[in-house]
Amino acid sequence: MSDKVSRRQFAKLAGLSAAGIANPLEAAEVKPAPAPRGVDGFPAGFVWGTATSSYQVEGAVDVDGRGASIWDKFVRIPGKIEDGTTGDRAVEHYQRYKEDIALIKELGCKAYRFSVAWPRVFPDGDGKPNPKGLDFYNRLVDELLKNGIEPWLTLYHWDLPQSLQDRFGGWRSTETCKIFGDYAGYVAERLTDRVKNVFTLNESGRFVQFGYGLGIDAPGVTLPQAEVNQVRHNSALAHGLAVQAVRAHGRPGTRVGPAENIDVCVPAIDTPEHVRAAEIALREMNAGYLNVIMTGRYTDAFLKYAGADAPKYTDAELKIISSPVDFLGLNIYAPQNYVVPSDQGAGFMPLPIPKSFPHMNSNWLRVAPETIYWVPKLAAKIWKTDAIYISENGTSGDDVVTPDGKIYDTDRIMYLRNYLAQLQRATAEGVPVRGYFLWSLLDNFEWVFGLNKRFGLYHVNFDTQVRTPKLSATFYRNVIAKNAAGA
């Protein structure tokens, strides 16, 4: 399965081809003022963090009243998970969170991005809340703050309550969107006295297409393109409702925004013509989610291409979807498209990725450090945002434990060193990237790959649950201490 479809390669799958697009970007240039800088490093106050998600690390799926999620059911379908494992145990973060927070502190990170498991708080998605579920996140937040670590909360990282899938078809129904808004308000009311930054939905582009279009992820549904587009619209609506709920129920000063695996478009060559083509491509390839969130409208090109498969919506829904956000979270790993100019319709043409293109331990994870330079640079211009956070970036690795009991993951260090150098280049030019969350703190349950792919700075022995720092943990600690790439 992993060889057939790459984890984040969505351009052609998302229902929008470059062919026939003729809707150029506004020419207005946005030039954010550079943030105060250290000497030869990242801006002063740059947020250094790491990240996990609930289903991937917590385990304890039937503990303290947690309800079932769509992933609890999906992992039990034969053949869906590469190694046949589940997240039932994961890495026992539910029990070991204090130990894991100590690891975050050891890195020198001042921020931790985690997700709340919706079915822990509302076992059926709605109805009666489960106090023991919220209590866990209260304890987690308090422990983070006790250790000088700022909590960054994600409301949804794919573990939809199974009850909502059974009753409403999950994200196929706007009922789920409304219930998500209620859940967001409940969490915001009870945690934003201490949590000041909230991500809404993580990676709509992944869970919509892979979960409802291709059936590769939970809930494993394969819908016609028109229905997939409607599910994507509904996820954007859920985002907007969550933003409004956080504003209404959160404490003053709470910030909120999306965390999206943006469909990456990179200019093949750094010339004005190629950069312009990449701008158009980045907007149009993300027209079905990020662009409508940031602008309040679907582009003419998107609607024309979708035709009869275009989502059905109202002006009122567009207004909700485009509720103002405080920041833009971008999950950036690898390029989906290198782009060249075209004089036919689109104004750009995506190039096929050569078979010889270098990649990491995961075949989909192509090594292209310039990606993390170009994407925030172009996104800031297109969507006129002054606060971008790299909400995920990292890599899997072979991570062999040597006879001395250590993991010398120089492949991961190579990847991070080069990506962070390009990110530093972006901030030096005034691109408003305010922080970076490395994926991931720990090796964990990597969705359809099971336990086969390791992304952590800390190695986890899945039998004993012992955590061991990899060499990359020392590298990242040095980067944070120096506030500069190349450590």
Side-chain angles (χ1 to χ4, degrees):
M1 181 179 350
S2 59
D3 292 332
K4 294 179 181 178
V5 183
S6 62
R7 183 173 185 233
R8 300 171 196 272
Q9 188 176 5
F10 306 105
K12 294 181 181 178
L13 301 177
L16 179 63
S17 166
I21 295 174
N23 193 5
L25 293 167
E26 297 177 8
E29 187 81 45
V30 173
K31 297 181 179 179
R37 302 189 54 72
V39 178
D40 298 326
F42 284 87
F46 192 83
V47 175
W48 291 104
T50 185
T52 65
S53 85
S54 51
Y55 187 76
Q56 291 181 273
V57 297
E58 285 181 2
V61 296
D62 56 358
V63 172
D64 291 337
R66 177 188 179 276
S69 79
I70 55 174
W71 275 91
D72 293 303
K73 181 176 181 178
F74 183 77
V75 296
R76 286 168 169 77
I77 301 174
K80 290 296 186 181
I81 307 303
E82 195 171 84
D83 62 357
T85 58
T86 74
D88 288 5
R89 187 184 184 195
V91 294
E92 297 183 351
H93 182 65
Y94 190 80
Q95 294 87 358
R96 298 170 181 265
Y97 70 93
K98 289 186 178 181
E99 174 187 350
D100 293 338
I101 289 171
L103 300 181
I104 301 171
K105 185 175 183 179
E106 183 179 288
L107 289 171
C109 288
K110 296 300 183 184
Y112 173 51
R113 181 183 171 216
F114 66 96
S115 72
V116 172
W118 188 353
R120 277 204 197 283
V121 179
F122 287 93
D124 292 319
D126 58 358
K128 186 177 180 180
N130 173 33
K132 289 184 177 180
L134 189 69
D135 283 349
F136 169 70
Y137 299 105
N138 274 309
R139 295 193 301 272
L140 177 70
V141 167
D142 288 344
E143 187 71 15
L144 287 167
L145 293 173
K146 177 182 174 182
N147 285 274
I149 301 164
E150 186 178 13
W152 288 61
L153 184 155
T154 304
L155 288 165
Y156 183 73
H157 202 128
W158 307 359
D159 42 4
L160 181 77
Q162 181 63 43
S163 173
L164 298 182
Q165 185 65 34
D166 293 340
R167 287 186 284 153
F168 304 117
W171 295 110
R172 299 176 70 176
S173 171
T174 56
E175 285 301 312
T176 298
C177 303
K178 296 172 185 175
I179 294 169
F180 180 70
D182 293 339
Y183 153 72
Y186 181 88
V187 172
E189 185 173 348
R190 287 155 180 82
L191 292 182
T192 58
D193 58 331
R194 289 153 291 154
V195 176
K196 300 305 178 186
N197 296 281
V198 177
F199 293 104
T200 53
L201 288 83
N202 183 77
E203 295 194 354
S204 173
R206 165 74 187 257
F207 76 75
V208 169
Q209 186 62 36
F210 278 31
Y212 291 86
L214 299 173
I216 291 174
D217 283 352
V221 178
T222 54
L223 301 176
Q225 189 59 50
E227 294 186 52
V228 173
N229 287 342
Q230 193 65 49
V231 170
R232 186 181 299 107
H233 171 80
N234 290 348
S235 72
L237 179 61
H239 156 84
L241 289 169
V243 170
Q244 293 188 351
V246 171
R247 299 265 188 251
H249 297 277
R251 300 298 175 90
T254 304
R255 301 195 307 160
V256 61
E260 181 59 6
N261 57 319
I262 188 168
D263 195 322
V264 171
C265 301
V266 178
I269 304 172
D270 188 355
T271 67
E273 297 80 11
H274 283 76
V275 173
R276 178 63 175 166
E279 289 177 28
I280 300 169
L282 193 71
R283 186 187 71 167
E284 295 300 343
M285 290 296 190
N286 292 282
Y289 188 72
L290 267 186
N291 190 75
V292 71
I293 284 174
M294 300 300 286
T295 68
R297 61 181 293 269
Y298 289 108
T299 65
D300 294 339
F302 173 81
L303 295 176
K304 179 180 178 182
Y305 180 82
D309 291 337
K312 306 297 187 292
Y313 57 89
T314 66
D315 289 342
E317 287 177 340
L318 293 181
K319 187 174 181 180
I320 293 169
I321 288 169
S322 59
S323 298
V325 297
D326 299 296
F327 55 77
L328 180 59
L330 300 176
N331 295 359
I332 299 175
Y333 290 86
Q336 277 78 52
N337 306 282
Y338 281 93
V339 174
V340 296
S342 172
D343 58 4
Q344 295 186 357
F348 73 94
M349 181 176 70
L351 302 177
I353 301 293
K355 290 182 179 179
S356 60
F357 202 100
H359 61 80
M360 298 301 291
N361 168 267
S362 298
N363 289 341
W364 62 266
L365 215 168
R366 295 181 284 274
V367 184
E370 65 273 19
T371 300
I372 209 168
Y373 166 80
W374 282 110
V375 171
K377 183 181 178 75
L378 297 177
K381 178 180 179 182
I382 295 165
W383 294 307
K384 301 175 177 60
T385 179
D386 63 359
I388 293 173
Y389 292 88
I390 307 303
S391 37
E392 286 185 26
N393 171 251
T395 183
S396 61
D398 287 334
D399 295 347
V400 175
V401 181
T402 55
D404 61 1
K406 297 182 179 180
I407 301 95
Y408 299 104
D409 56 336
T410 53
D411 53 349
R412 182 173 288 104
I413 292 173
M414 175 278 298
Y415 176 96
L416 293 173
R417 179 184 289 119
N418 283 280
Y419 272 69
L420 289 173
Q422 288 291 321
L423 186 61
Q424 184 172 298
R425 173 190 172 200
T427 61
E429 295 180 8
V431 177
V433 178
R434 310 302 184 194
Y436 172 91
F437 292 86
L438 193 152
W439 186 272
S440 176
L441 173 66
L442 302 161
D443 293 338
N444 55 42
F445 180 82
E446 182 52 30
W447 306 114
V448 295
F449 301 106
L451 301 178
N452 282 343
K453 297 298 181 184
R454 295 178 177 270
F455 278 79
L457 291 172
Y458 289 89
H459 178 275
V460 178
N461 181 315
F462 295 121
D463 294 324
T464 66
Q465 296 293 332
V466 170
R467 279 84 157 125
T468 304
K470 303 173 188 178
L471 189 59
S472 58
T474 300
F475 168 81
Y476 193 45
R477 185 185 306 116
N478 290 342
V479 167
I480 295 170
K482 294 180 179 179
N483 197 37

